Amino acid sequence: MNFKQKLTTDIKGKTIAIVYIFEKENAEGFKHFLVWKDKILTGWLRAVYELECLPYIVDVRTFMQKASNFSLPHIDYVINLNSGCNELSTMGLVPSICSFLNIPCFPCDATAILASENKEISNYIALGAKIKTPSFLDRCNYNGIYRPINLGNSIGVEKSSFVNFEKEGIYQEFIPGYDVTIPIAFNFITNEMDILPPTLYFPKSLDPNWIYNETTKKDDEGLVRLQFLEIEENSKQQLLSFIKIFGIKTYARIDMRLKRSSFLTGEEVKQPFSLKN
């Protein structure tokens, strides 16, 4: 029996709720900068059917209402597609209800969401885990980069002096170089979280003073992606220990900046990626 057959046998016939965002939802605290649409929704639906499970598709408000008046059908697992909320607290809504109902919620619980999505908290946790982070700066410093506490897709990221003290966010030292994304996922063979190969993001101009901001992500113009072959073992263990602090047991993504004054050579890319950089 191969892995897929075993997994299907273990959960065959289970009911999996897909809790999604209804775009006409008008609750004041439920504004979104990102809503998962057709490809994501149908992808999850197809995955549920491939596992020979029963999908129950429901929007967030209906899920809340049915949970409170005991009218939900029996649910074995919940896939939480409520993401991209402007209000960080609202991101924990679905997993909090699942916790109350004692239903496993994928990909993670409210504690992991709120701690990891809050950039200030996650930076301090990284410092505690002895992972290098950019220095926090006085907001009148002209050599920093501002990021909102919440929000994804690099929304609101600015490379400039930041003097608006009423604007919530973090202001840190700007690191010249290039962006690195490291995916982490649960390995069903080893039954442990595992590191996948990092991806390097850089502009075609090779300018180390660039920033991967909202416009760059939206247009995706002049952007190059390059994958490292592997990650150095000590760095791997350091990152795995880091995500354990958040209680993440499914998958995660860690974004960081590779400090460089010049572009990587071909030989450097072939070397295992290290946090020492």
Side-chain angles (χ1 to χ4, degrees), residues 125-151:
I125 292 175
L127 281 171
K130 298 182 179 179
I131 294 175
K132 290 183 180 179
T133 63
S135 302
F136 286 91
L137 300 178
D138 182 280
R139 295 190 177 192
C140 293
N141 190 298
Y142 282 81
N143 298 306
I145 187 162
Y146 163 77
R147 293 185 296 157
I149 289 292
N150 186 26
L151 304 182

Side-chain angles (χ1 to χ4, degrees), residues 1-12 50-52:
M1 182 182 295
N2 62 33
F3 165 71
K4 183 177 180 180
Q5 290 172 326
K6 183 180 185 305
L7 180 60
T8 303
T9 301
D10 289 344
I11 67 171
K12 182 177 180 179
E50 287 182 358
L51 292 172
E52 299 184 34

Side-chain angles (χ1 to χ4, degrees), residues 11 68 133 143 147 152 188 202 204 224 238 251 253 264:
I11 67 171
S68 63
T133 63
N143 298 306
R147 293 185 296 157
F188 282 93
F202 59 94
K204 288 183 178 178
V224 181
Q238 193 174 2
Y251 64 84
R253 191 191 78 201
L264 292 167

Side-chain angles (χ1 to χ4, degrees), residues 214-226:
E214 181 181 4
T215 302
T216 307
K217 284 191 174 183
K218 183 178 179 181
D219 298 338
D220 204 18
E221 294 179 1
L223 187 67
V224 181
R225 296 168 176 83
L226 190 63

Side-chain angles (χ1 to χ4, degrees), residues 45-272:
L45 182 61
R46 185 167 56 250
V48 171
Y49 276 119
E50 287 182 358
L51 292 172
E52 299 184 34
C53 292
L54 304 174
Y56 175 65
I57 306 172
V58 59
D59 68 280
V60 175
R61 180 183 286 272
T62 304
F63 180 70
M64 288 172 22
Q65 291 172 336
K66 286 183 173 292
S68 63
N69 63 23
F70 305 100
S71 61
L72 277 173
H74 173 77
I75 295 173
D76 295 291
Y77 304 99
V78 166
I79 295 172
N80 175 26
L81 296 186
N82 173 38
S83 62
C85 304
N86 290 346
E87 292 291 334
L88 181 54
S89 296
T90 311
M91 296 271 281
L93 188 59
V94 173
S96 292
I97 294 172
C98 290
S99 178
F100 180 77
L101 298 174
N102 196 29
I103 300 174
C105 183
F106 183 88
C108 56
D109 61 20
T111 302
I113 290 175
L114 300 181
S116 61
E117 291 286 341
N118 185 307
K119 295 183 180 67
E120 188 166 28
I121 291 175
S122 58
N123 266 262
Y124 281 122
I125 292 175
L127 281 171
K130 298 182 179 179
I131 294 175
K132 290 183 180 179
T133 63
S135 302
F136 286 91
L137 300 178
D138 182 280
R139 295 190 177 192
C140 293
N141 190 298
Y142 282 81
N143 298 306
I145 187 162
Y146 163 77
R147 293 185 296 157
I149 289 292
N150 186 26
L151 304 182
N153 287 358
S154 296
I155 293 174
V157 174
E158 301 174 25
K159 181 189 171 188
S160 63
S161 60
F162 182 67
V163 295
N164 184 355
F165 286 88
E166 296 180 358
K167 197 172 182 180
E168 186 181 31
I170 60 174
Y171 190 58
Q172 294 174 292
E173 168 195 8
F174 172 72
I175 305 296
Y178 308 104
D179 280 31
V180 175
T181 288
I182 302 176
I184 304 173
F186 183 77
N187 186 329
F188 282 93
I189 297 175
T190 62
N191 285 323
E192 294 179 347
M193 297 294 287
D194 204 357
I195 304 283
L196 280 68
T199 299
L200 178 73
Y201 294 80
F202 59 94
K204 288 183 178 178
S205 66
L206 305 184
D207 180 8
N209 293 306
W210 80 301
I211 60 170
Y212 195 15
N213 59 14
E214 181 181 4
T215 302
T216 307
K217 284 191 174 183
K218 183 178 179 181
D219 298 338
D220 204 18
E221 294 179 1
L223 187 67
V224 181
R225 296 168 176 83
L226 190 63
Q227 196 167 63
F228 284 86
L229 297 180
E230 57 181 313
I231 186 167
E232 185 264 334
E233 186 61 30
N234 288 338
S235 297
K236 181 184 294 187
Q237 295 307 317
Q238 193 174 2
L239 291 176
L240 290 174
S241 297
F242 175 55
I243 64 166
K244 283 182 181 178
I245 299 173
F246 297 96
I248 297 172
K249 300 176 181 178
T250 52
Y251 64 84
R253 191 191 78 201
I254 296 179
D255 297 332
M256 59 183 63
R257 188 81 166 179
L258 177 64
K259 190 171 186 177
R260 296 287 299 186
S261 56
S262 60
F263 187 64
L264 292 167
T265 65
E267 287 303 314
E268 285 177 302
V269 174
K270 293 178 183 178
Q271 298 299 314

